């Protein structure tokens, strides 16, 4: 089975991590051995799912579903140890002051190490990553573009040798629609949708990839527009709530109409009122494509 790689991104606060977990759960329910990856130093899912620990090595959290937390430095160290083999040499490589300084200041090296690990399966290069599907809860919009730009930038800076070769390979794979899928999350609000629109355009223009747009937290009121307007005629607290709800749904419909023109694949996810993390993730998984 060809490995699928899904990147989930969007403006901060739009529900990106929850929908990344929902997408990963959906893939696992389809029978695919799936890895959900967090990027950075802190795990959101540790507290969200009330897990004892989340670290670099994948841990199983549901049938067919594992979770890992990756930093660029950890990915780079694993990659080096895979090829150096001798632990003492690997420690010498990473624990000297010159190398530490280089890793800290080298532009795009952590991002390159992350994408190198994410794409190591289809590229058949690096430590084994035995999963049918990888869902990356990626950085928010600006940092996500920097992540994707890293391989091309490194390939231009290092045009010869293994680093240049691997950078070009990573760059080619993240642009391959047969391998990598992109999901941009937004809310039915003007600023998040504007940022999502700009991100989708950059992904298309700079990387040649088409992203799915997912509009999250759509209010689905079980009453008709006519009923809302009739209630507003009353002089009560309920009429004020009906007025608010009517206005919100009108703005939400405008955002949804705009979203239709931004991507060939647009998905709406309702606003769920769930106190259980897994119940929320399971409900969202049911509507994702």
């Amino acid at each position: 089975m060809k490995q699928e790689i899904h990147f989930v991104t969007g403006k901060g606060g739009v529900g990106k991590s929850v929908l990344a977990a929902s997408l990963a759960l959906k893939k696992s329910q389809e029978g695919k051995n799936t890895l959900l990856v967090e990027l950075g130093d802190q795990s959101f899912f540790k507290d969200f799912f009330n897990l004892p620990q989340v670290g670099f090595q994948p841990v199983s959290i549901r049938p067919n579903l594992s979770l890992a937390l990756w930093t660029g430095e950890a990915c780079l160290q694993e990659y080096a140890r895979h090829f150096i083999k001798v632990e003492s040499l690997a420690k010498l490589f990473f624990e000297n002051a010159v190398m530490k300084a280089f890793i800290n200041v080298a532009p795009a090296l952590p991002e390159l190490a992350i994408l190198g690990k994410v794409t190591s399966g289809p590229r058949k290069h690096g430590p084994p990553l035995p999963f049918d599907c990888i869902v990356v809860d990626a950085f928010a919009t600006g940092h996500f573009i920097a992540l994707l730009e890293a391989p091309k930038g490194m390939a231009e800076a290092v045009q010869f040798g293994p680093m240049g070769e691997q950078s070009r390979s990573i760059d080619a794979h993240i642009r391959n629609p047969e391998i990598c899928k992109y999901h941009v999350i937004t809310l039915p609000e003007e600023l998040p949708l504007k940022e999502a629109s700009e991100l989708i355009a950059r992904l298309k223009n700079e990387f040649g990839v088409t992203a799915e747009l997912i509009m999250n937290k759509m209010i689905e009121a079980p009453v008709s527009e006519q009923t809302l307007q009739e209630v507003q005629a009353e002089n009560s607290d309920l009429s004020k709530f009906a007025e608010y709800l009517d206005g919100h749904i009108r703005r939400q419909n405008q955002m949804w109409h705009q979203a239709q023109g931004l991507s060939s694949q647009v998905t709406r996810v309702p606003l769920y009122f769930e106190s259980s993390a897994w119940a929320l993730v399971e409900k969202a998984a049911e509507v994702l494509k």
Side-chain angles (χ1 to χ4, degrees):
M1 180 183 293
K2 185 184 293 184
Q3 190 178 69
E4 302 173 18
I5 300 171
H6 296 262
F7 292 99
V8 181
T9 181
K11 183 178 173 60
V14 298
K16 172 176 67 63
S17 296
V18 171
L19 294 189
S22 298
L23 180 61
L25 178 65
K26 184 179 183 67
K27 296 296 178 182
S28 72
Q29 291 171 337
E30 292 173 355
K32 295 171 182 171
N33 187 18
T34 302
L35 176 63
L36 172 61
V37 176
E38 292 182 90
L39 302 182
D41 298 317
Q42 302 292 325
S43 172
F44 163 79
F45 294 119
K46 178 178 179 296
D47 294 333
F48 186 65
F49 289 132
N50 193 26
L51 301 171
Q53 194 65 42
V54 178
F56 185 74
Q57 297 301 331
V59 292
S60 177
I61 56 174
R62 292 284 286 260
N64 281 339
L65 179 58
S66 298
L67 172 65
L69 174 67
W70 293 351
T71 65
E73 183 176 349
C75 292
L76 188 61
Q77 290 203 22
E78 184 201 44
Y79 181 77
R81 284 183 164 85
H82 179 73
F83 289 101
I84 293 176
K85 305 294 184 186
V86 181
E87 181 62 22
S88 58
L89 288 179
K91 289 181 67 174
L92 183 65
F93 182 75
F94 282 104
E95 293 183 3
N96 72 79
V98 174
M99 193 61 202
K100 283 184 177 178
F102 175 71
I103 292 172
N104 288 332
V105 303
L109 190 56
E111 287 81 3
L112 185 69
I114 289 170
L115 287 182
K117 182 166 177 62
V118 170
T119 60
S120 61
R123 293 189 303 110
K124 297 179 173 56
H125 184 86
L129 198 55
F131 292 93
D132 305 319
C133 178
I134 298 174
V135 177
V136 182
D137 178 18
F139 300 125
T141 309
H143 196 176
F144 182 64
I145 287 294
L147 176 74
L148 297 186
E149 287 175 336
K152 182 182 178 182
M154 188 63 76
E156 290 175 349
V158 185
Q159 298 190 2
F160 303 100
M163 182 170 284
E165 179 184 337
Q166 291 306 318
S167 297
R168 284 187 288 277
S169 173
I170 296 168
D171 185 55
H173 279 73
I174 63 173
R175 297 169 189 266
N176 186 339
E178 298 297 319
I179 298 172
C180 291
K181 316 291 183 185
Y182 296 85
H183 311 268
V184 176
I185 315 299
T186 186
L187 296 175
E189 299 171 7
E190 190 170 344
L191 285 179
L193 185 58
K194 182 173 186 295
E195 188 168 312
S197 170
E198 293 171 351
L199 175 58
I200 288 173
R202 290 192 68 178
L203 289 172
K204 183 67 176 177
N205 295 334
E206 298 178 23
F207 301 93
V209 297
T210 301
E212 176 192 15
L213 178 62
I214 301 176
M215 188 165 279
N216 193 23
K217 299 184 181 179
M218 297 282 285
I219 290 180
E220 296 185 339
V223 292
S224 67
E225 183 178 336
Q226 180 181 352
T227 301
L228 284 176
Q229 291 176 354
E230 288 173 355
V231 173
Q232 288 178 59
E234 302 174 3
N235 183 19
S236 66
D237 289 341
L238 184 60
S239 69
K240 294 177 183 176
F241 176 71
E243 182 180 357
Y244 165 79
L245 186 59
D246 189 32
H248 183 88
I249 290 176
R250 287 176 185 274
R251 290 192 296 276
Q252 176 179 275
N253 291 340
Q254 290 175 358
M255 296 297 104
W256 177 249
H257 179 71
Q258 289 183 30
Q260 302 295 305
L262 299 179
S263 172
S264 58
Q265 186 176 352
V266 184
T267 302
R268 58 192 293 159
V269 176
L271 173 64
Y272 296 113
F273 297 93
E274 287 288 349
S275 57
S276 162
W278 277 115
L280 175 61
V281 168
E282 287 168 356
K283 283 195 171 181
E286 292 175 1
V287 300
L288 294 179
K289 297 173 182 174

